[in-house]
Amino acid sequence: MFDVIIIGGGAAGMSCALIIGSALKKPFAENKKAGVIVHQKTSHLQKALFNNVLGLTPGTLGEDILEIGKKQLTELYPELTQIENEKVCEIIDYDSYFEVITNKKAYTSKAIVVATGYTNPFTIKGLEKHLVPHQMAKLEKDRIQLKNVLHLVKPNLYVAGSLAGWRSQYAIACGSGAQVATDILTVWNNGEHTKVHDKK
Ligand SMILES: Cc1cc2nc3c(=O)[nH]c(=O)nc-3n(C[C@H](O)[C@H](O)[C@H](O)COP(=O)(O)OP(=O)(O)OC[C@H]3O[C@@H](n4cnc5c(N)ncnc54)[C@H](O)[C@@H]3O)c2cc1C
């Protein structure tokens, strides 16, 4: 049983995974098991080129960010399980936990973060009742989101990135994933507001 599974290896999912990974050695996260399903094939980063993001060298390619993100997670936070080459097909909500069914395996988790982007159709079975039109995209683009309040769809079911209803900008998606990570860490830390900062 995972404590959290993050679904999606794009901007929001990888940002969320990095911050949760950075907390796994903290006392409040002792024995917590976290994983990310790092599907990246359909990430909007695959085609993006970045000139307008603070801290990224102008001309940075999204496809490079995807690769670097996986490497960063593996090298710095190997305690967080990376599940590669799998795509989520269905999520079953058993109220006290979720079953995440991929094209290859099934996993159980107490909490999940869905960060699969705002593209319609949404192909994961089981979450249909939470789907609504995107609140911050042009109508004719036919984007979708999961209905949520501050990233929470229902207890222990989080949504992050463009699927949470935010406009599609890289920094916004990363920030959304980071916010969800700190929300989960705060829950793990008995409600004490929690962030992870390194100092030089
Ligand atoms: C051509 C282009 C240019 C852009 N240029 C800029 C720019 O200059 N500046 C800027 O700020 N932003 C830019 N963006 C926007 C930026 O790329 C997005 O805002 C950002 O990628 C959104 O992040 P996300 O995590 O919500 O979605 P994504 O990055 O799309 O990630 C979603 C992830 O979920 C995975 N996934 C999907 N379905 C499943 C499933 N069933 N199971 C498991 N995983 C799944 C996908 O493979 C993907 O990795 C650009 C986008 C495009 C398309």
Side-chain angles (χ1 to χ4, degrees), residues 2 4-10 13-14 17 34-39 73 80-84:
F2 280 87
V4 64
I5 290 182
I6 300 153
I7 302 170
M14 290 308 274
V36 57
I37 297 181
V38 280
H39 185 279
L73 195 56
L80 192 140
T81 307
Q82 284 193 56
I83 300 163
E84 295 228 43

Side-chain angles (χ1 to χ4, degrees), residues 6-14 37-53 62 66 86-90 102 115-119 122-124 143 160-164 166-174:
I6 300 153
I7 302 170
M14 290 308 274
I37 297 181
V38 280
H39 185 279
Q40 296 189 320
K41 214 182 284 173
T42 57
S43 172
H44 281 205
L45 291 178
Q46 293 286 5
K47 294 262 164 65
L49 177 149
F50 293 102
N51 294 312
N52 60 2
V53 179
L66 289 169
E86 293 184 42
K87 182 181 169 131
V88 176
C89 305
E90 184 173 0
T102 74
T116 53
Y118 66 168
T119 303
F122 181 80
T123 55
I124 302 176
R143 304 299 192 184
S162 51
L163 186 66
W166 301 116
R167 284 192 194 95
S168 174
Q169 292 285 164
Y170 177 71
I172 297 177
C174 291

Side-chain angles (χ1 to χ4, degrees), residues 4-184:
V4 64
I5 290 182
I6 300 153
I7 302 170
M14 290 308 274
S15 298
C16 185
L18 281 164
I19 292 180
I20 290 194
S22 74
L24 287 179
K25 285 191 173 149
K26 306 275 180 196
F28 66 80
E30 209 187 342
N31 300 323
K32 295 290 186 198
K33 194 174 167 204
V36 57
I37 297 181
V38 280
H39 185 279
Q40 296 189 320
K41 214 182 284 173
T42 57
S43 172
H44 281 205
L45 291 178
Q46 293 286 5
K47 294 262 164 65
L49 177 149
F50 293 102
N51 294 312
N52 60 2
V53 179
L54 181 69
L56 286 189
T57 306
T60 297
L61 297 177
E63 60 185 346
D64 291 338
I65 294 175
L66 289 169
E67 276 309 310
I68 290 165
K70 277 199 290 189
K71 192 162 173 270
Q72 186 178 350
L73 195 56
T74 308
E75 288 177 359
L76 292 180
Y77 311 122
E79 300 80 16
L80 192 140
T81 307
Q82 284 193 56
I83 300 163
E84 295 228 43
N85 304 317
E86 293 184 42
K87 182 181 169 131
V88 176
C89 305
E90 184 173 0
I91 292 168
I92 304 177
D93 179 354
Y94 289 104
D95 273 337
S96 56
Y97 71 99
F98 300 88
E99 187 173 6
V100 176
I101 301 169
T102 74
N103 54 331
K104 295 186 181 158
K105 287 186 187 161
Y107 306 88
T108 51
S109 184
K110 292 178 189 163
I112 52 174
V113 180
V114 189
T116 53
Y118 66 168
T119 303
N120 201 7
F122 181 80
T123 55
I124 302 176
K125 220 176 120 194
L127 297 183
E128 298 84 355
K129 67 177 173 199
H130 304 296
L131 276 179
V132 292
H134 200 278
Q135 65 189 359
M136 290 195 198
K138 285 183 184 172
L139 254 186
E140 62 268 28
K141 294 272 186 183
D142 191 26
R143 304 299 192 184
I144 40 99
Q145 66 171 83
L146 297 184
K147 200 170 173 201
N148 68 93
V149 176
L150 294 177
H151 296 111
L152 204 56
V153 176
K154 59 165 285 190
N156 299 317
L157 172 54
Y158 298 83
V159 59
S162 51
L163 186 66
W166 301 116
R167 284 192 194 95
S168 174
Q169 292 285 164
Y170 177 71
I172 297 177
C174 291
S176 168
Q179 177 68 40
V180 170
T182 57
D183 289 345
I184 290 168

